[in-house]
Amino acid sequence: MTEFGLSPIQATARDDAVLKALAGFVMREALGPGQRLPTERILAERLKVSRNTVREALTRWEGLGLVERRQGSGTYLKGVVSLDMLHMPLTLAGGNDFTSLMQTLEIRRALEAEAAALCAVRAGQANLVEIGRKLDIMEQAFHTRAGMSAEEDWEFHQSIYRASGNPLFEQIIAAMHELFHRFWEHPLGVRDFGHASFPYHRTIYERIAAHDPEGARAEALKLIATVEDDLKRGAAKLKLSGQK
Amino acid sequence: MTEFGLSPIQATARDDAVLKALAGFVMREALGPGQRLPTERILAERLKVSRNTVREALTRWEGLGLVERRQGSGTYLKGVVSLDMLHMPLTLAGGNDFTSLMQTLEIRRALEAEAAALCAVRAGQANLVEIGRKLDIMEQAFHTRAGMSAEEDWEFHQSIYRASGNPLFEQIIAAMHELFHRFWEHPLGVRDFGHASFPYHRTIYERIAAHDPEGARAEALKLIATVEDDLKRGAAKLKLSGQK
DNA sequence: ATGGCTCAATGGTCCAACCAATTTCTGCAT
DNA sequence: ATGCAGAAATTGGTTGGACCATTGAGCCAT
């Protein structure tokens, strides 16, 4: 078996061409997240392709999280689209068991700490205001609803990832978060989960606002540690009650 | 092959249901990479859905790199499929520029340091032997080929990720590595890239062997720092020579 | 064996409907 | 005029059927 430096040519590339044309359109019109793009029927007509082909192309973008489709309403941009984008779909084998959860938490620990530190260095005034706003909302929800503030909690963290200046943090941790939730919907765990982690949200914010990267990193690590403890406690309880 | 263990689909959320059914089928039949799955027409018939729906579902999997379609031949598995998989579409705006590279490096810095620290805690004797072997091979290749040891270098790092006890490290960093390489094959960078990072490979190994997590983390951070410096130097050189 | 031929199988594209969710418009009651 | 329920238009989701382009297997003459 000898090796020739040849790679297969791309025979048909209809939907790829559609995506390239669409990306060009999005850039020319300067469309951003949240904005609606033309209907499938219009795209099919303008691009002189079948609506099926348009749909396959949009399905690709939807899978990449670039676009969101709402039946009866339209197709909306979810992220920034440009012609030279690099896509890397990563699929991990993640089970719904305790071990998988702890593994995702180890990843999150590494990334959360780094993101907090970077954020402390790079966050501008606008970022700080936004993070502070999310923190206030979360704290208020925590007090009025007695600890049920998972959604607001998540938005607070997301605002930090965004302010880190590196979109990869948000993308990776978002996937971890989804896996986490998939487990958690099956509410076999501890009752008031994020309770112990609550105070650290404000300390993280304070270290970031003070532009203290190592302090922010330390507080983020403390936060994750409490979550790991909660998880271990929940797992121990499960083991005692002898679940399947 | 006439009988496929597939049963019809229920109401809404068609293509998601199709994928779930297909994933179940793949697992029951214990299909692995390279094997062919049923034709679109057969799937459509067995699942009682239209062929277009089957195609949209398969387009999703194709976008995730789980499957490869060959016109006139069939659809083939490219990766391992299981029911609970974690999909993580990573998107970098402006693929081939310096910024994207630095962003992947920031992720790698966070994960590499954590993996080294975990490895120092968890690595058993067999892991240490394997890592040491990879280190020797790398060092030898480095000396005989005057610095060209990218492949051996990568294998050394991989052995650390594996010994960390968390498969997610290897999977995520491998994706970053691939992204990194896609740029660097276009050899616009510095000539002897990993040169400065060379000595830290052994120091990392020593700290791991000594079961010193914080020491291993520190050495890993030094290593990444040298790579970042190399990258910055390369970018500065490019800027001087005024490339497009 | 080799090369060329046919031919069936398979993914790729197209079309013309209809369904289901959503939005927009309309017209009536107040 | 205003408010609101119901009709109509809009839009993504699905269907079935048709045809094209590529692949691969079988066959045959050389």
Side-chain angles (χ1 to χ4, degrees), chain B residues 89-145:
Chain B
L90 302 181
T91 305
L92 276 176
N96 277 353
D97 60 358
F98 171 72
T99 307
S100 302
L101 268 286
M102 285 303 288
Q103 288 175 348
T104 66
L105 259 188
E106 281 175 3
I107 300 294
R108 189 180 159 191
R109 175 174 55 196
L111 296 181
E112 186 98 23
E114 190 75 14
L118 284 175
C119 186
V121 174
R122 297 176 181 166
Q125 198 54 41
N127 295 128
L128 289 178
V129 170
E130 173 70 6
I131 297 174
R133 206 170 58 83
K134 290 293 166 74
L135 177 61
D136 289 340
I137 295 176
M138 192 213 90
E139 287 182 340
Q140 208 234 342
F142 184 86
H143 287 125
T144 58
R145 298 209 301 273

Side-chain angles (χ1 to χ4, degrees), chain A residues 90 92 94 106 114 122 171, chain B residues 84 88 91 106 109 122:
Chain A
L90 179 55
L92 308 177
E106 282 175 1
E114 190 75 14
R122 296 176 181 166
Q171 295 179 39
Chain B
D84 39 32
M88 188 184 302
T91 305
E106 281 175 3
R109 175 174 55 196
R122 297 176 181 166

